[in-house]
Amino acid sequence: MLTPADTDQFAAESAARLIRAEQTGLRLAIACRTLVTGLAFAWYVGAPFLFSDFEPRLAAVIVLLIFTGVGVAHLAVIGTRFDRSWMKYAVYALDTLSICALFALIPISRADQVPQIVAFRAYGIYYLFPMVAFCCLSLSWRLVIWTGAMCVAGWWGAFVWVTSGMGRTLSWADIPPDATRADYEQVFLSIDFIGRGNRIEESVMLMCAALVLAVAVYRARGVFFAQVASDLEWHRERSARERVSALFGKYVPAEIAQKLIAADGPLTPQRAAGTALVMDIAGFTKFSAGHPPEFVIGKLDAFLSDATDCVSRQGGIVMSYLGDGFLVTFNAPISVEDPAGAALRTAQALLQVARNHGFGVRVGIASGDLVTGTIGSTERQSFTVYGDAVNLAARLEGLCKALGVSVLADQQTRNAQGASAPLEPYGDQRIAGLADEVPVFRLKETV
């Protein structure tokens, strides 16, 4: 059964589960990013073996090597005591700003007359999109926005750095309104064309993509927390039902309490052919008069606890405790195979349990139709059983005292068991409330 402390622990474990998921996602993101930079490094260094005219630039080799090393180092500390929340932001800032620095600082040509702005036109901002995509694996919407912002800032920083060193620049504004093909060729195809409008469009598109991905990650986290809240609510409801069932089960049969809680309303009356058993302790009034109340209650509680266990082992239900005894039903409302046989076996066990506790008992058993259901007002109800078999079992228990026997059963119980029944005839007896005498049977072990 869950306690409030258990539900709080469950909530804490759920939060820890999200943190572990974030760490796993961050490892995957950094691993992908490191794999890409590692492959880029291997390709860049190995390209001269495939293309004899290709000559790697030392600065690019160093940058790619640093990128790969940083990724490996970050992977090593994620989830350890050396991990810090700011590290992932620093790593992605370093990556994005370094990529942008490559556009600004690594010469596009060894010839001095080729401006660096050509790098922006030859390659483009799409090199930064994978950085934003990798961030989504971390399940951190803040990191996605941060990386998108770093991409835009770094891209514009590199662009401004490059264009500020150019003696002459051309852009879309330099194309006349009624431009001809020659005008476009002169401006757009010029090596000094910087395309400021293109940089604006690129930045807006990248930032929009970052924001959309951040919203997607945020919603994914919301779904996770909603699932956690749903699980927690389910556990709390289950815990509450278990507490109610345990408390309710002290006053009504546990099986009935569970049915009532599951049905969330009164149980409809049910009719079944079953067997009723009524037990009472012989001489209990005299016993209780000779002992302190605390001692009497303790002895009675211990005996009834063991007696109830006997009933449960045979599939019976203790419908009510009657002072120093109880009323038991078999096959109503819980199905039991061979209810008459189960009642007789229970009676035999009760005799032994009574002897173990220093008591004697009287038991009446009768079979027939049993009707179970809830009765009472809308404010207060009780689950009960009624039928001729219940009344007859109670009267047979009372007859045991007059006849000096321990267990008496009716004809229908005897018929249900046939010749194998551990019963012997005890003649026809007059039963209170019945006009004619009826045959009764006593348990053979009581002879």
PDB file of all heavy atoms in Angstrom, residues 71-86:
ATOM      1  N   GLY A  71      34.417  17.073 -27.875  1.00  0.00           N
ATOM      2  CA  GLY A  71      33.282  16.160 -27.817  1.00  0.00           C
ATOM      3  C   GLY A  71      33.593  14.922 -26.996  1.00  0.00           C
ATOM      4  O   GLY A  71      32.783  14.487 -26.171  1.00  0.00           O
ATOM      5  N   VAL A  72      34.757  14.341 -27.203  1.00  0.00           N
ATOM      6  CA  VAL A  72      35.152  13.156 -26.434  1.00  0.00           C
ATOM      7  C   VAL A  72      35.249  13.482 -24.951  1.00  0.00           C
ATOM      8  O   VAL A  72      34.790  12.717 -24.090  1.00  0.00           O
ATOM      9  CB  VAL A  72      36.486  12.597 -26.968  1.00  0.00           C
ATOM     10  CG1 VAL A  72      37.003  11.487 -26.063  1.00  0.00           C
ATOM     11  CG2 VAL A  72      36.322  12.086 -28.397  1.00  0.00           C
ATOM     12  N   ALA A  73      35.840  14.637 -24.620  1.00  0.00           N
ATOM     13  CA  ALA A  73      35.976  15.033 -23.210  1.00  0.00           C
ATOM     14  C   ALA A  73      34.607  15.257 -22.571  1.00  0.00           C
ATOM     15  O   ALA A  73      34.371  14.856 -21.428  1.00  0.00           O
ATOM     16  CB  ALA A  73      36.827  16.300 -23.118  1.00  0.00           C
ATOM     17  N   HIS A  74      33.711  15.895 -23.315  1.00  0.00           N
ATOM     18  CA  HIS A  74      32.373  16.142 -22.759  1.00  0.00           C
ATOM     19  C   HIS A  74      31.617  14.834 -22.545  1.00  0.00           C
ATOM     20  O   HIS A  74      30.941  14.661 -21.524  1.00  0.00           O
ATOM     21  CB  HIS A  74      31.593  17.054 -23.694  1.00  0.00           C
ATOM     22  CG  HIS A  74      30.340  17.578 -23.070  1.00  0.00           C
ATOM     23  ND1 HIS A  74      29.281  18.066 -23.808  1.00  0.00           N
ATOM     24  CD2 HIS A  74      29.954  17.684 -21.765  1.00  0.00           C
ATOM     25  CE1 HIS A  74      28.321  18.457 -22.981  1.00  0.00           C
ATOM     26  NE2 HIS A  74      28.706  18.226 -21.752  1.00  0.00           N
ATOM     27  N   LEU A  75      31.744  13.903 -23.475  1.00  0.00           N
ATOM     28  CA  LEU A  75      31.095  12.601 -23.298  1.00  0.00           C
ATOM     29  C   LEU A  75      31.572  11.906 -22.035  1.00  0.00           C
ATOM     30  O   LEU A  75      30.807  11.219 -21.349  1.00  0.00           O
ATOM     31  CB  LEU A  75      31.374  11.709 -24.512  1.00  0.00           C
ATOM     32  CG  LEU A  75      30.502  11.916 -25.750  1.00  0.00           C
ATOM     33  CD1 LEU A  75      31.019  11.057 -26.898  1.00  0.00           C
ATOM     34  CD2 LEU A  75      29.064  11.554 -25.440  1.00  0.00           C
ATOM     35  N   ALA A  76      32.841  12.092 -21.714  1.00  0.00           N
ATOM     36  CA  ALA A  76      33.423  11.411 -20.562  1.00  0.00           C
ATOM     37  C   ALA A  76      32.888  11.934 -19.236  1.00  0.00           C
ATOM     38  O   ALA A  76      32.873  11.197 -18.237  1.00  0.00           O
ATOM     39  CB  ALA A  76      34.953  11.540 -20.591  1.00  0.00           C
ATOM     40  N   VAL A  77      32.428  13.184 -19.184  1.00  0.00           N
ATOM     41  CA  VAL A  77      32.020  13.772 -17.901  1.00  0.00           C
ATOM     42  C   VAL A  77      30.507  13.829 -17.725  1.00  0.00           C
ATOM     43  O   VAL A  77      30.033  14.088 -16.623  1.00  0.00           O
ATOM     44  CB  VAL A  77      32.597  15.195 -17.727  1.00  0.00           C
ATOM     45  CG1 VAL A  77      34.110  15.168 -17.790  1.00  0.00           C
ATOM     46  CG2 VAL A  77      32.026  16.146 -18.770  1.00  0.00           C
ATOM     47  N   ILE A  78      29.726  13.580 -18.798  1.00  0.00           N
ATOM     48  CA  ILE A  78      28.262  13.644 -18.676  1.00  0.00           C
ATOM     49  C   ILE A  78      27.781  12.612 -17.667  1.00  0.00           C
ATOM     50  O   ILE A  78      28.097  11.431 -17.769  1.00  0.00           O
ATOM     51  CB  ILE A  78      27.578  13.412 -20.041  1.00  0.00           C
ATOM     52  CG1 ILE A  78      27.899  14.556 -21.003  1.00  0.00           C
ATOM     53  CG2 ILE A  78      26.062  13.303 -19.871  1.00  0.00           C
ATOM     54  CD1 ILE A  78      27.344  14.344 -22.395  1.00  0.00           C
ATOM     55  N   GLY A  79      27.007  13.067 -16.695  1.00  0.00           N
ATOM     56  CA  GLY A  79      26.454  12.176 -15.676  1.00  0.00           C
ATOM     57  C   GLY A  79      27.384  11.878 -14.523  1.00  0.00           C
ATOM     58  O   GLY A  79      26.996  11.177 -13.582  1.00  0.00           O
ATOM     59  N   THR A  80      28.621  12.413 -14.570  1.00  0.00           N
ATOM     60  CA  THR A  80      29.554  12.193 -13.466  1.00  0.00           C
ATOM     61  C   THR A  80      29.503  13.380 -12.509  1.00  0.00           C
ATOM     62  O   THR A  80      28.795  14.361 -12.740  1.00  0.00           O
ATOM     63  CB  THR A  80      30.987  12.010 -13.998  1.00  0.00           C
ATOM     64  OG1 THR A  80      31.450  13.263 -14.548  1.00  0.00           O
ATOM     65  CG2 THR A  80      31.022  10.947 -15.088  1.00  0.00           C
ATOM     66  N   ARG A  81      30.279  13.275 -11.433  1.00  0.00           N
ATOM     67  CA  ARG A  81      30.296  14.366 -10.457  1.00  0.00           C
ATOM     68  C   ARG A  81      30.985  15.616 -11.010  1.00  0.00           C
ATOM     69  O   ARG A  81      30.879  16.697 -10.418  1.00  0.00           O
ATOM     70  CB  ARG A  81      30.998  13.910  -9.184  1.00  0.00           C
ATOM     71  CG  ARG A  81      32.451  13.504  -9.357  1.00  0.00           C
ATOM     72  CD  ARG A  81      32.997  12.882  -8.081  1.00  0.00           C
ATOM     73  NE  ARG A  81      34.395  12.496  -8.190  1.00  0.00           N
ATOM     74  CZ  ARG A  81      35.411  13.282  -7.869  1.00  0.00           C
ATOM     75  NH1 ARG A  81      35.181  14.511  -7.424  1.00  0.00           N
ATOM     76  NH2 ARG A  81      36.652  12.866  -7.994  1.00  0.00           N
ATOM     77  N   PHE A  82      31.672  15.465 -12.130  1.00  0.00           N
ATOM     78  CA  PHE A  82      32.332  16.626 -12.744  1.00  0.00           C
ATOM     79  C   PHE A  82      31.417  17.356 -13.719  1.00  0.00           C
ATOM     80  O   PHE A  82      31.765  18.422 -14.217  1.00  0.00           O
ATOM     81  CB  PHE A  82      33.602  16.179 -13.482  1.00  0.00           C
ATOM     82  CG  PHE A  82      34.610  15.500 -12.602  1.00  0.00           C
ATOM     83  CD1 PHE A  82      34.770  14.123 -12.652  1.00  0.00           C
ATOM     84  CD2 PHE A  82      35.372  16.232 -11.704  1.00  0.00           C
ATOM     85  CE1 PHE A  82      35.694  13.486 -11.845  1.00  0.00           C
ATOM     86  CE2 PHE A  82      36.302  15.610 -10.883  1.00  0.00           C
ATOM     87  CZ  PHE A  82      36.456  14.225 -10.953  1.00  0.00           C
ATOM     88  N   ASP A  83      30.259  16.775 -13.998  1.00  0.00           N
ATOM     89  CA  ASP A  83      29.343  17.379 -14.959  1.00  0.00           C
ATOM     90  C   ASP A  83      28.721  18.649 -14.386  1.00  0.00           C
ATOM     91  O   ASP A  83      28.380  18.713 -13.203  1.00  0.00           O
ATOM     92  CB  ASP A  83      28.239  16.378 -15.320  1.00  0.00           C
ATOM     93  CG  ASP A  83      27.451  16.818 -16.540  1.00  0.00           C
ATOM     94  OD1 ASP A  83      27.873  17.785 -17.204  1.00  0.00           O
ATOM     95  OD2 ASP A  83      26.409  16.187 -16.821  1.00  0.00           O
ATOM     96  N   ARG A  84      28.579  19.644 -15.210  1.00  0.00           N
ATOM     97  CA  ARG A  84      27.934  20.896 -14.814  1.00  0.00           C
ATOM     98  C   ARG A  84      26.906  21.263 -15.890  1.00  0.00           C
ATOM     99  O   ARG A  84      27.098  20.983 -17.074  1.00  0.00           O
ATOM    100  CB  ARG A  84      28.969  22.026 -14.671  1.00  0.00           C
ATOM    101  CG  ARG A  84      30.014  21.779 -13.588  1.00  0.00           C
ATOM    102  CD  ARG A  84      29.391  21.769 -12.204  1.00  0.00           C
ATOM    103  NE  ARG A  84      30.397  21.611 -11.159  1.00  0.00           N
ATOM    104  CZ  ARG A  84      30.814  20.440 -10.694  1.00  0.00           C
ATOM    105  NH1 ARG A  84      30.318  19.317 -11.231  1.00  0.00           N
ATOM    106  NH2 ARG A  84      31.712  20.365  -9.751  1.00  0.00           N
ATOM    107  N   SER A  85      25.846  21.935 -15.454  1.00  0.00           N
ATOM    108  CA  SER A  85      24.768  22.256 -16.384  1.00  0.00           C
ATOM    109  C   SER A  85      25.216  23.206 -17.488  1.00  0.00           C
ATOM    110  O   SER A  85      24.670  23.190 -18.597  1.00  0.00           O
ATOM    111  CB  SER A  85      23.590  22.865 -15.622  1.00  0.00           C
ATOM    112  OG  SER A  85      23.990  24.058 -14.946  1.00  0.00           O
ATOM    113  N   TRP A  86      26.212  24.049 -17.216  1.00  0.00           N
ATOM    114  CA  TRP A  86      26.641  25.039 -18.203  1.00  0.00           C
ATOM    115  C   TRP A  86      27.518  24.445 -19.297  1.00  0.00           C
ATOM    116  O   TRP A  86      27.747  25.074 -20.338  1.00  0.00           O
ATOM    117  CB  TRP A  86      27.404  26.184 -17.525  1.00  0.00           C
ATOM    118  CG  TRP A  86      28.570  25.748 -16.674  1.00  0.00           C
ATOM    119  CD1 TRP A  86      28.577  25.539 -15.337  1.00  0.00           C
ATOM    120  CD2 TRP A  86      29.909  25.472 -17.135  1.00  0.00           C
ATOM    121  NE1 TRP A  86      29.827  25.148 -14.904  1.00  0.00           N
ATOM    122  CE2 TRP A  86      30.662  25.099 -16.004  1.00  0.00           C
ATOM    123  CE3 TRP A  86      30.538  25.493 -18.374  1.00  0.00           C
ATOM    124  CZ2 TRP A  86      32.010  24.751 -16.069  1.00  0.00           C
ATOM    125  CZ3 TRP A  86      31.887  25.153 -18.450  1.00  0.00           C
ATOM    126  CH2 TRP A  86      32.591  24.791 -17.312  1.00  0.00           C
TER     127      TRP A  86
END
